Amino acid sequence: MKKIGLALGSGGARGWAHIGVLDALEEAGIPVHAVAGTSMGALVGGAFASGYIGPLKEAALGLDWKQAIYYFLEVTFPRSGLIDGTKIAGFVRRHVRKTDVESLPLPFATVATDVLTGRKVVIDEGDMIDAIRASISIPGILTPVLRDGVTLVDGGLVDPVPVDVARRLGAQAVIAVDLNYGAVGDKVRPRSRRPGRALPGRKKASRLPLNKWQGLMRNVGARLEQFDVSVLTPARRWMTRDERPTVFDVLGNSIRIMETQITDVRLKLDPPDVLIRPEVGHLSFMEFHCAEEIIRAGYEATRAKIGEIRALTRAR
């Protein structure tokens, strides 16, 4: 049997789909021998490589909008990003084994970007938490990570779906998961939820209620008052819930547009053996509380490819 490697792509909250991919592979008895991840692919891949994917799945399914705000929308306005990442790092630390990357039972690597030079940085050794934290540092939103004197941000800027990195880890065949397909341009779908079967004992995720959104915005407004900067007036424009995009939408969608273009090019230059594209393009990259729908999409997309994957593992 060929050694199978996973290339888990970036995509913000849509990265929960990787959990569904792993569920479907395990159910089908498909072994995974190496994992390369970018951004959220690094988080989910790191949890899998360290044997903690079960607890991470439970944590993702347990996230409601309150917890999503607590971990992922704690706006502090530090110098180099809207979010300083302390709580996100704590979330990662609780759901990924704290060890060195090279000590994991499964070959694993993350992809980050040197923000000053644009160089792709593959992290396959050193502290596991730092490696993941660097890979998920979305520019302008999450503060960068300084590692070995290099300022690192989200790896999706240079390699959103790291097929080549999975091969470098020893994979003879690579299954790639692209989460940004259908997320921009004419392929964007309405934000309404697709009907779907709820997991046993789980309630369907709901959007943030208007009164809670207003409370969050008042809290952000209070933080803004602490800063004597000329951007306060335009910053307040995103504090009303209307059709205009928020600062997170603008930054997130800008990066998503860029990553979609980069992914198309890289997948042509270094095509995977199997490409999985879950239907999650209609979801915002900050909708972390919609894990059930996102995980199900990853599972369904992978189940549709199981025959192709089985044939791949038997090929010589």
Side-chain angles (χ1 to χ4, degrees):
M1 180 176 289
K2 286 186 174 182
K3 289 185 177 181
I4 302 297
L6 296 181
L8 304 182
S10 59
R14 297 187 298 275
W16 293 141
H18 295 313
I19 297 175
V21 171
L22 292 165
D23 282 347
L25 292 177
E26 180 182 19
E27 181 181 271
I30 306 295
V32 175
H33 302 92
V35 182
T38 296
S39 199
M40 275 294 285
L43 172 57
V44 176
F48 176 74
S50 62
Y52 281 25
I53 192 65
L56 178 64
K57 179 180 180 180
E58 285 302 307
L61 289 170
L63 279 176
D64 56 21
W65 58 264
K66 295 178 183 177
Q67 291 168 312
I69 288 172
Y70 177 82
Y71 286 115
F72 302 104
L73 278 173
E74 181 62 16
V75 180
T76 58
F77 297 98
R79 177 171 178 172
S80 53
L82 292 173
I83 301 172
D84 67 13
T86 301
K87 291 181 178 178
I88 294 177
F91 181 87
V92 174
R93 193 171 292 110
R94 278 189 290 275
H95 300 98
V96 175
R97 181 178 297 170
K98 188 176 181 180
T99 185
D100 290 334
V101 174
E102 62 269 30
S103 300
L104 294 172
L106 196 69
F108 172 72
T110 71
V111 176
T113 304
D114 181 340
V115 73
L116 299 181
T117 67
R119 180 173 60 92
K120 172 178 170 179
V121 178
V122 176
I123 306 175
D124 56 7
E125 61 181 6
D127 184 79
M128 182 76 165
I129 307 303
D130 286 347
I132 294 172
R133 174 65 177 81
S135 188
I136 66 175
S137 297
I138 304 168
I141 295 180
L142 200 59
T143 51
V145 168
L146 186 64
R147 187 176 188 271
D148 298 330
V150 179
T151 304
L152 299 176
V153 296
D154 196 316
L157 297 180
V158 290
D159 196 356
V161 185
V163 175
D164 61 326
V165 179
R167 296 195 198 282
R168 284 171 52 179
L169 292 174
Q172 296 167 307
V174 176
I175 301 170
V177 185
D178 175 16
L179 303 177
N180 292 314
Y181 183 77
V184 296
D186 295 335
K187 296 168 185 170
V188 174
R189 294 182 295 157
R191 293 170 61 85
S192 60
R193 298 285 175 262
R194 294 183 301 133
R197 173 173 53 87
L199 298 178
R202 302 285 181 186
K203 293 181 180 180
K204 282 185 173 293
S206 59
R207 299 299 300 276
L208 186 64
L210 180 58
N211 64 323
K212 300 299 183 182
W213 173 266
Q214 292 169 336
L216 170 64
M217 292 302 100
R218 283 194 296 271
N219 178 56
V220 172
R223 291 179 181 274
L224 280 170
E225 295 296 343
Q226 302 172 18
F227 296 85
D228 182 19
V229 293
S230 60
V231 297
L232 286 184
T233 298
R236 289 191 178 93
R237 292 176 185 168
W238 64 277
M239 294 185 348
T240 56
R241 189 170 185 171
D242 56 26
E243 294 304 314
R244 291 175 295 180
T246 69
V247 65
F248 294 105
D249 291 326
V250 172
L251 289 172
N253 287 346
S254 297
I255 293 170
R256 180 163 58 176
I257 291 168
M258 177 185 61
E259 289 186 355
T260 300
Q261 300 298 322
I262 296 172
T263 299
D264 287 344
V265 172
R266 293 198 66 92
L267 289 180
K268 289 176 182 176
L269 293 174
D270 192 3
D273 297 273
V274 175
L275 178 59
I276 298 172
R277 283 174 160 161
E279 293 188 27
V280 291
H282 60 295
L283 288 152
S284 163
F285 87 114
M286 293 299 285
E287 293 188 270
F288 290 95
H289 63 293
C290 297
E292 181 179 334
E293 176 185 358
I294 298 169
I295 291 172
R296 182 173 60 245
Y299 174 84
E300 292 173 353
T302 307
R303 286 296 306 169
K305 295 273 188 171
I306 288 297
E308 187 178 341
I309 294 171
R310 287 192 190 281
L312 173 68
T313 62
R314 292 192 297 268
R316 292 184 178 275

PDB file of all heavy atoms in Angstrom, residues 232-252:
ATOM      1  N   LEU A 232     -10.541  56.379  14.198  1.00  0.00           N
ATOM      2  CA  LEU A 232     -11.677  56.004  15.038  1.00  0.00           C
ATOM      3  C   LEU A 232     -13.011  56.130  14.306  1.00  0.00           C
ATOM      4  O   LEU A 232     -13.871  55.262  14.418  1.00  0.00           O
ATOM      5  CB  LEU A 232     -11.698  56.870  16.305  1.00  0.00           C
ATOM      6  CG  LEU A 232     -10.630  56.536  17.357  1.00  0.00           C
ATOM      7  CD1 LEU A 232     -10.839  57.395  18.588  1.00  0.00           C
ATOM      8  CD2 LEU A 232     -10.684  55.062  17.731  1.00  0.00           C
ATOM      9  N   THR A 233     -13.185  57.219  13.555  1.00  0.00           N
ATOM     10  CA  THR A 233     -14.466  57.409  12.878  1.00  0.00           C
ATOM     11  C   THR A 233     -14.748  56.304  11.862  1.00  0.00           C
ATOM     12  O   THR A 233     -15.807  55.674  11.912  1.00  0.00           O
ATOM     13  CB  THR A 233     -14.521  58.783  12.199  1.00  0.00           C
ATOM     14  OG1 THR A 233     -14.400  59.786  13.211  1.00  0.00           O
ATOM     15  CG2 THR A 233     -15.834  58.967  11.457  1.00  0.00           C
ATOM     16  N   PRO A 234     -13.830  56.015  10.930  1.00  0.00           N
ATOM     17  CA  PRO A 234     -14.116  54.912  10.007  1.00  0.00           C
ATOM     18  C   PRO A 234     -14.189  53.566  10.710  1.00  0.00           C
ATOM     19  O   PRO A 234     -14.897  52.669  10.254  1.00  0.00           O
ATOM     20  CB  PRO A 234     -12.938  54.954   9.014  1.00  0.00           C
ATOM     21  CG  PRO A 234     -11.873  55.740   9.696  1.00  0.00           C
ATOM     22  CD  PRO A 234     -12.586  56.722  10.570  1.00  0.00           C
ATOM     23  N   ALA A 235     -13.462  53.411  11.831  1.00  0.00           N
ATOM     24  CA  ALA A 235     -13.498  52.128  12.530  1.00  0.00           C
ATOM     25  C   ALA A 235     -14.883  51.851  13.083  1.00  0.00           C
ATOM     26  O   ALA A 235     -15.314  50.701  13.154  1.00  0.00           O
ATOM     27  CB  ALA A 235     -12.474  52.127  13.665  1.00  0.00           C
ATOM     28  N   ARG A 236     -15.603  52.911  13.444  1.00  0.00           N
ATOM     29  CA  ARG A 236     -16.935  52.719  14.018  1.00  0.00           C
ATOM     30  C   ARG A 236     -17.975  52.329  12.958  1.00  0.00           C
ATOM     31  O   ARG A 236     -19.068  51.898  13.284  1.00  0.00           O
ATOM     32  CB  ARG A 236     -17.380  53.989  14.737  1.00  0.00           C
ATOM     33  CG  ARG A 236     -16.617  54.256  16.032  1.00  0.00           C
ATOM     34  CD  ARG A 236     -17.286  55.374  16.833  1.00  0.00           C
ATOM     35  NE  ARG A 236     -16.591  55.601  18.072  1.00  0.00           N
ATOM     36  CZ  ARG A 236     -15.623  56.491  18.253  1.00  0.00           C
ATOM     37  NH1 ARG A 236     -15.215  57.216  17.230  1.00  0.00           N
ATOM     38  NH2 ARG A 236     -15.046  56.656  19.422  1.00  0.00           N
ATOM     39  N   ARG A 237     -17.611  52.485  11.708  1.00  0.00           N
ATOM     40  CA  ARG A 237     -18.578  52.182  10.653  1.00  0.00           C
ATOM     41  C   ARG A 237     -18.978  50.715  10.629  1.00  0.00           C
ATOM     42  O   ARG A 237     -20.047  50.364  10.138  1.00  0.00           O
ATOM     43  CB  ARG A 237     -18.005  52.580   9.287  1.00  0.00           C
ATOM     44  CG  ARG A 237     -17.852  54.088   9.113  1.00  0.00           C
ATOM     45  CD  ARG A 237     -17.195  54.401   7.792  1.00  0.00           C
ATOM     46  NE  ARG A 237     -16.945  55.832   7.667  1.00  0.00           N
ATOM     47  CZ  ARG A 237     -16.185  56.359   6.716  1.00  0.00           C
ATOM     48  NH1 ARG A 237     -15.611  55.581   5.812  1.00  0.00           N
ATOM     49  NH2 ARG A 237     -15.998  57.664   6.667  1.00  0.00           N
ATOM     50  N   TRP A 238     -18.076  49.855  11.094  1.00  0.00           N
ATOM     51  CA  TRP A 238     -18.389  48.418  11.052  1.00  0.00           C
ATOM     52  C   TRP A 238     -19.096  47.960  12.321  1.00  0.00           C
ATOM     53  O   TRP A 238     -19.324  46.785  12.521  1.00  0.00           O
ATOM     54  CB  TRP A 238     -17.137  47.593  10.802  1.00  0.00           C
ATOM     55  CG  TRP A 238     -16.085  47.664  11.859  1.00  0.00           C
ATOM     56  CD1 TRP A 238     -15.136  48.608  12.002  1.00  0.00           C
ATOM     57  CD2 TRP A 238     -15.858  46.717  12.917  1.00  0.00           C
ATOM     58  NE1 TRP A 238     -14.328  48.323  13.076  1.00  0.00           N
ATOM     59  CE2 TRP A 238     -14.746  47.160  13.654  1.00  0.00           C
ATOM     60  CE3 TRP A 238     -16.486  45.526  13.310  1.00  0.00           C
ATOM     61  CZ2 TRP A 238     -14.251  46.485  14.758  1.00  0.00           C
ATOM     62  CZ3 TRP A 238     -15.978  44.844  14.408  1.00  0.00           C
ATOM     63  CH2 TRP A 238     -14.881  45.326  15.114  1.00  0.00           C
ATOM     64  N   MET A 239     -19.484  48.926  13.203  1.00  0.00           N
ATOM     65  CA  MET A 239     -20.103  48.551  14.463  1.00  0.00           C
ATOM     66  C   MET A 239     -21.634  48.561  14.392  1.00  0.00           C
ATOM     67  O   MET A 239     -22.309  48.525  15.402  1.00  0.00           O
ATOM     68  CB  MET A 239     -19.610  49.460  15.584  1.00  0.00           C
ATOM     69  CG  MET A 239     -18.146  49.249  15.826  1.00  0.00           C
ATOM     70  SD  MET A 239     -17.384  50.111  17.193  1.00  0.00           S
ATOM     71  CE  MET A 239     -18.540  51.291  17.724  1.00  0.00           C
ATOM     72  N   THR A 240     -22.204  48.604  13.206  1.00  0.00           N
ATOM     73  CA  THR A 240     -23.643  48.470  13.041  1.00  0.00           C
ATOM     74  C   THR A 240     -23.887  47.247  12.173  1.00  0.00           C
ATOM     75  O   THR A 240     -23.141  46.984  11.229  1.00  0.00           O
ATOM     76  CB  THR A 240     -24.251  49.706  12.355  1.00  0.00           C
ATOM     77  OG1 THR A 240     -23.593  49.928  11.115  1.00  0.00           O
ATOM     78  CG2 THR A 240     -24.101  50.937  13.246  1.00  0.00           C
ATOM     79  N   ARG A 241     -24.926  46.518  12.501  1.00  0.00           N
ATOM     80  CA  ARG A 241     -25.190  45.294  11.746  1.00  0.00           C
ATOM     81  C   ARG A 241     -26.061  45.617  10.536  1.00  0.00           C
ATOM     82  O   ARG A 241     -27.275  45.741  10.640  1.00  0.00           O
ATOM     83  CB  ARG A 241     -25.873  44.263  12.638  1.00  0.00           C
ATOM     84  CG  ARG A 241     -25.977  42.900  11.955  1.00  0.00           C
ATOM     85  CD  ARG A 241     -26.418  41.853  12.939  1.00  0.00           C
ATOM     86  NE  ARG A 241     -26.403  40.546  12.318  1.00  0.00           N
ATOM     87  CZ  ARG A 241     -26.582  39.425  12.986  1.00  0.00           C
ATOM     88  NH1 ARG A 241     -26.774  39.456  14.276  1.00  0.00           N
ATOM     89  NH2 ARG A 241     -26.561  38.277  12.366  1.00  0.00           N
ATOM     90  N   ASP A 242     -25.438  45.790   9.397  1.00  0.00           N
ATOM     91  CA  ASP A 242     -26.161  46.042   8.168  1.00  0.00           C
ATOM     92  C   ASP A 242     -25.496  45.249   7.057  1.00  0.00           C
ATOM     93  O   ASP A 242     -24.728  44.332   7.316  1.00  0.00           O
ATOM     94  CB  ASP A 242     -26.235  47.541   7.858  1.00  0.00           C
ATOM     95  CG  ASP A 242     -24.840  48.181   7.798  1.00  0.00           C
ATOM     96  OD1 ASP A 242     -23.867  47.462   7.511  1.00  0.00           O
ATOM     97  OD2 ASP A 242     -24.732  49.396   8.035  1.00  0.00           O
ATOM     98  N   GLU A 243     -25.775  45.612   5.809  1.00  0.00           N
ATOM     99  CA  GLU A 243     -25.269  44.842   4.685  1.00  0.00           C
ATOM    100  C   GLU A 243     -23.809  45.117   4.376  1.00  0.00           C
ATOM    101  O   GLU A 243     -23.183  44.397   3.608  1.00  0.00           O
ATOM    102  CB  GLU A 243     -26.120  45.133   3.436  1.00  0.00           C
ATOM    103  CG  GLU A 243     -27.562  44.646   3.563  1.00  0.00           C
ATOM    104  CD  GLU A 243     -27.625  43.151   3.875  1.00  0.00           C
ATOM    105  OE1 GLU A 243     -26.896  42.376   3.220  1.00  0.00           O
ATOM    106  OE2 GLU A 243     -28.394  42.770   4.758  1.00  0.00           O
ATOM    107  N   ARG A 244     -23.248  46.188   4.951  1.00  0.00           N
ATOM    108  CA  ARG A 244     -21.854  46.490   4.679  1.00  0.00           C
ATOM    109  C   ARG A 244     -20.945  45.491   5.389  1.00  0.00           C
ATOM    110  O   ARG A 244     -21.227  45.093   6.516  1.00  0.00           O
ATOM    111  CB  ARG A 244     -21.533  47.913   5.129  1.00  0.00           C
ATOM    112  CG  ARG A 244     -22.192  48.992   4.286  1.00  0.00           C
ATOM    113  CD  ARG A 244     -21.939  50.366   4.861  1.00  0.00           C
ATOM    114  NE  ARG A 244     -22.578  50.513   6.164  1.00  0.00           N
ATOM    115  CZ  ARG A 244     -22.515  51.624   6.898  1.00  0.00           C
ATOM    116  NH1 ARG A 244     -21.826  52.665   6.457  1.00  0.00           N
ATOM    117  NH2 ARG A 244     -23.116  51.691   8.060  1.00  0.00           N
ATOM    118  N   PRO A 245     -19.853  45.085   4.765  1.00  0.00           N
ATOM    119  CA  PRO A 245     -18.960  44.106   5.401  1.00  0.00           C
ATOM    120  C   PRO A 245     -18.221  44.701   6.593  1.00  0.00           C
ATOM    121  O   PRO A 245     -17.928  45.898   6.618  1.00  0.00           O
ATOM    122  CB  PRO A 245     -17.983  43.749   4.277  1.00  0.00           C
ATOM    123  CG  PRO A 245     -17.989  44.942   3.382  1.00  0.00           C
ATOM    124  CD  PRO A 245     -19.387  45.477   3.425  1.00  0.00           C
ATOM    125  N   THR A 246     -17.927  43.858   7.577  1.00  0.00           N
ATOM    126  CA  THR A 246     -17.138  44.286   8.723  1.00  0.00           C
ATOM    127  C   THR A 246     -15.662  44.260   8.341  1.00  0.00           C
ATOM    128  O   THR A 246     -15.280  43.758   7.281  1.00  0.00           O
ATOM    129  CB  THR A 246     -17.355  43.354   9.926  1.00  0.00           C
ATOM    130  OG1 THR A 246     -16.765  42.075   9.627  1.00  0.00           O
ATOM    131  CG2 THR A 246     -18.828  43.182  10.236  1.00  0.00           C
ATOM    132  N   VAL A 247     -14.828  44.773   9.238  1.00  0.00           N
ATOM    133  CA  VAL A 247     -13.390  44.748   8.987  1.00  0.00           C
ATOM    134  C   VAL A 247     -12.886  43.310   8.854  1.00  0.00           C
ATOM    135  O   VAL A 247     -11.985  43.028   8.067  1.00  0.00           O
ATOM    136  CB  VAL A 247     -12.637  45.506  10.107  1.00  0.00           C
ATOM    137  CG1 VAL A 247     -12.802  44.809  11.445  1.00  0.00           C
ATOM    138  CG2 VAL A 247     -11.154  45.645   9.764  1.00  0.00           C
ATOM    139  N   PHE A 248     -13.500  42.385   9.607  1.00  0.00           N
ATOM    140  CA  PHE A 248     -13.101  40.983   9.497  1.00  0.00           C
ATOM    141  C   PHE A 248     -13.486  40.415   8.133  1.00  0.00           C
ATOM    142  O   PHE A 248     -12.744  39.632   7.544  1.00  0.00           O
ATOM    143  CB  PHE A 248     -13.749  40.156  10.617  1.00  0.00           C
ATOM    144  CG  PHE A 248     -13.270  40.524  11.983  1.00  0.00           C
ATOM    145  CD1 PHE A 248     -14.066  41.261  12.844  1.00  0.00           C
ATOM    146  CD2 PHE A 248     -12.007  40.137  12.422  1.00  0.00           C
ATOM    147  CE1 PHE A 248     -13.622  41.608  14.106  1.00  0.00           C
ATOM    148  CE2 PHE A 248     -11.555  40.476  13.680  1.00  0.00           C
ATOM    149  CZ  PHE A 248     -12.368  41.218  14.528  1.00  0.00           C
ATOM    150  N   ASP A 249     -14.670  40.813   7.636  1.00  0.00           N
ATOM    151  CA  ASP A 249     -15.080  40.370   6.304  1.00  0.00           C
ATOM    152  C   ASP A 249     -14.134  40.893   5.235  1.00  0.00           C
ATOM    153  O   ASP A 249     -13.736  40.168   4.317  1.00  0.00           O
ATOM    154  CB  ASP A 249     -16.502  40.858   6.000  1.00  0.00           C
ATOM    155  CG  ASP A 249     -17.553  40.162   6.842  1.00  0.00           C
ATOM    156  OD1 ASP A 249     -17.361  38.971   7.139  1.00  0.00           O
ATOM    157  OD2 ASP A 249     -18.549  40.807   7.195  1.00  0.00           O
ATOM    158  N   VAL A 250     -13.785  42.171   5.332  1.00  0.00           N
ATOM    159  CA  VAL A 250     -12.925  42.782   4.328  1.00  0.00           C
ATOM    160  C   VAL A 250     -11.556  42.117   4.298  1.00  0.00           C
ATOM    161  O   VAL A 250     -11.055  41.715   3.240  1.00  0.00           O
ATOM    162  CB  VAL A 250     -12.776  44.298   4.576  1.00  0.00           C
ATOM    163  CG1 VAL A 250     -11.719  44.887   3.649  1.00  0.00           C
ATOM    164  CG2 VAL A 250     -14.111  45.001   4.369  1.00  0.00           C
ATOM    165  N   LEU A 251     -10.928  42.005   5.475  1.00  0.00           N
ATOM    166  CA  LEU A 251      -9.609  41.385   5.541  1.00  0.00           C
ATOM    167  C   LEU A 251      -9.676  39.909   5.158  1.00  0.00           C
ATOM    168  O   LEU A 251      -8.867  39.411   4.375  1.00  0.00           O
ATOM    169  CB  LEU A 251      -9.026  41.538   6.941  1.00  0.00           C
ATOM    170  CG  LEU A 251      -8.593  42.951   7.337  1.00  0.00           C
ATOM    171  CD1 LEU A 251      -8.223  43.011   8.816  1.00  0.00           C
ATOM    172  CD2 LEU A 251      -7.425  43.415   6.493  1.00  0.00           C
ATOM    173  N   GLY A 252     -10.647  39.216   5.729  1.00  0.00           N
ATOM    174  CA  GLY A 252     -10.768  37.781   5.455  1.00  0.00           C
ATOM    175  C   GLY A 252     -11.055  37.481   4.004  1.00  0.00           C
ATOM    176  O   GLY A 252     -10.439  36.597   3.398  1.00  0.00           O
TER     177      GLY A 252
END
